[in-house]
Amino acid sequence: MPSLSEETQGRVARLMPGATIGIVGGGQLGRMMALSAKYMGFRVGVLDPTPDCPTAQVGDFQIVAAYDDKAAIRELAERSDVLTYEFENVDADALDEVRGETAVPQGTDLLRVTQNRIAEKTFINEHGIETAPWRAVNDRASLDTALEEIGYPAVLKTCEGGYDGHGQIVLHGPADLERVWADDGFPPAILEGFVDFAFEASILVSGDGERYVTFPIVRNVHRNNILHLTIAPAEVPQAVADRAHELAMTLAAGFRLAGTLAIELFVTDEGRVIVNELAPRPHNSGHYTIEACSIDQFDAHIRGIAGLPIAEPKLLSPAVMANVLGQHVEPTRALVGEHPEWNVHDYGKAAVKHDRKMGHITVLTDDTAATVAALEATGCWDDLK
């Protein structure tokens, strides 16, 4: 598959301080994008349905409306010099409709590819990069055929939507088929075979549409399908690190990437690097970069969409990042005074909910294993054991 066309990307000339960046989505990723933008002298507007959302707390103005409200998106476009987004479930058609009002440097082809798992797997495979074996399915009959080809265990995922394990059914054997949707409610879906991986990892790549840089490959630990820990860097053979860098650069070039792209990976015992999913924006597993790198993923994203050059990131210190979910807010706040090594980030969310990402803690360290053990020993994350 060829690279995406420059015409679809909406490149901008270099933005100058005082220009306005509009962000669709007002959660923690938008908040951290906005903080980076403000340091560079830009103004920030946000569209989000929740008044005083995390991004609005640090931005210049908020349009309170649904993400698919085309009139609201047009208003944001008219008030902004550039539009970006903090999550992939954005109405691509609505963004296309405002191209005459403002630039959308990331384009919408990137959105459309990453919004649909079939399009995403196809794009990755056509660029010579390995994924788990997969088949498109749309009813019980096609699922049965796919299972005959891929076998158990496998995971059935809706093609669109779903995050942190939502929209997924793990199939260990025929008995699990009872949980599968009936034909009259069977959504477009994909069946993926399990990968016998040693660990999960990710790599970030950022670009300005022409030049691309990568961050280190990191190791990720999930609990209940939600990221728990990121360990930077991942301790891997150089060949694995080189392969992750290579595939990241290949995908960035294929997308003519402007901004930051996160690539979730499986690493096998044999050293194979397999792409699991893509996220067309900064990512939870990249939060460590704020303290640990010479440039963080949010600065790189803003520079990329603003037409500014991006320096090659340097890892200044190994680090461990731990997510603070709703149930971890009280215990971590109780201990923060005892841990000066904790770099605590609170997302400013009004409602504390179980399993909701409320913040994160990053620790710079010379011994990541000891730091992981020390974090776990606090008891703050005992519910995840």
Side-chain angles (χ1 to χ4, degrees):
M1 178 180 288
S3 299
L4 303 180
S5 65
E6 184 170 0
E7 287 74 16
T8 66
Q9 301 297 91
R11 299 283 170 238
V12 296
R14 184 175 303 170
L15 287 188
M16 300 302 290
T20 299
I21 296 175
I23 303 174
V24 181
Q28 63 266 23
L29 297 177
R31 180 188 183 95
M32 289 181 272
M33 285 182 198
L35 289 169
S36 287
K38 296 295 283 183
Y39 274 119
M40 296 180 205
F42 299 122
R43 298 180 65 81
V44 175
V46 59
L47 187 155
D48 193 276
T50 302
D52 196 38
C53 62
T55 306
Q57 293 168 19
V58 300
D60 294 283
F61 67 88
Q62 179 181 4
I63 298 170
V64 180
Y67 301 125
D68 60 354
D69 184 326
K70 293 188 177 182
I73 291 176
R74 180 166 294 279
E75 179 185 350
L76 182 65
E78 291 172 345
R79 299 175 66 178
S80 303
D81 297 285
V82 166
L83 286 189
T84 186
Y85 39 81
E86 68 142 15
F87 62 101
E88 46 270 47
N89 294 323
V90 177
D91 188 332
D93 290 338
L95 291 182
D96 280 335
E97 290 177 10
V98 298
R99 289 293 181 84
E101 306 293 339
T102 190
V104 185
Q106 292 159 278
T108 52
D109 290 329
L110 172 62
L111 263 183
R112 289 188 170 92
V113 168
T114 55
Q115 283 175 344
N116 183 284
R117 287 190 168 95
I118 293 175
E120 182 177 271
K121 300 290 186 188
T122 300
F123 188 90
I124 294 167
N125 293 157
E126 289 185 351
H127 281 81
I129 298 169
E130 184 179 5
T131 62
W134 62 275
R135 299 289 186 277
V137 296
N138 51 29
D139 54 28
R140 293 297 293 266
S142 58
L143 174 60
D144 290 342
T145 300
L147 282 167
E148 290 176 3
E149 297 172 353
I150 291 177
Y152 292 102
V155 58
L156 181 63
K157 302 178 180 180
T158 55
C159 277
E160 298 183 355
Y163 64 95
D164 291 344
H166 297 285
Q168 302 184 16
I169 302 173
V170 178
L171 304 175
H172 293 287
D176 290 323
L177 293 174
E178 295 179 358
R179 298 187 290 119
V180 172
W181 315 287
D183 275 356
D184 59 359
F186 204 111
I190 184 172
L191 183 76
E192 292 182 17
F194 267 31
V195 174
D196 186 15
F197 58 87
F199 61 90
E200 294 176 87
S202 59
I203 188 169
L204 302 169
V205 58
S206 300
D208 62 5
E210 296 178 354
R211 294 166 296 276
Y212 314 104
V213 299
T214 63
F215 290 81
I217 182 174
V218 298
R219 181 170 185 150
N220 297 321
V221 178
H222 289 80
R223 295 287 184 268
N224 304 323
N225 294 309
I226 301 173
L227 182 65
H228 171 40
L229 298 172
T230 292
I231 301 162
E235 295 184 6
V236 296
Q238 189 60 45
V240 170
D242 290 345
R243 177 55 183 154
H245 166 81
E246 178 185 62
L247 67 83
M249 295 294 279
T250 297
L251 291 173
F255 284 122
R256 296 185 61 86
L257 178 69
T260 294
L261 171 73
I263 305 169
E264 298 181 49
L265 307 167
F266 297 129
V267 178
T268 71
D269 286 324
E270 300 79 25
R272 290 160 56 210
V273 182
I274 299 168
V275 173
N276 179 26
E277 291 184 348
L278 306 178
R281 34 81 181 169
H283 192 258
N284 194 175
S285 67
H287 292 346
Y288 78 94
T289 62
I290 297 172
E291 284 83 22
C293 292
S294 56
I295 180 172
D296 68 55
Q297 64 167 341
F298 301 100
D299 286 346
H301 181 79
I302 296 299
R303 292 184 72 86
I305 65 169
L308 298 169
I310 307 170
E312 190 74 39
K314 296 179 181 178
L315 183 67
L316 304 178
S317 169
V320 177
M321 188 283 300
N323 267 330
V324 176
L325 305 181
Q327 62 268 36
H328 308 139
V329 170
E330 185 175 342
T332 54
R333 286 181 178 175
L335 291 180
V336 69
E338 301 174 23
H339 292 279
E341 76 280 10
W342 285 5
N343 293 283
V344 180
H345 295 253
D346 187 288
Y347 300 152
K349 295 181 179 180
V352 178
K353 299 179 182 178
H354 188 91
D355 281 351
R356 188 185 194 192
K357 293 173 184 173
M358 302 298 298
H360 71 268
I361 292 169
T362 299
V363 181
L364 304 182
T365 178
D366 293 325
D367 188 336
T368 56
T371 298
V372 168
L375 286 166
E376 301 290 21
T378 65
C380 295
W381 294 271
D382 279 355
D383 65 299
L384 301 181
K385 291 181 178 179

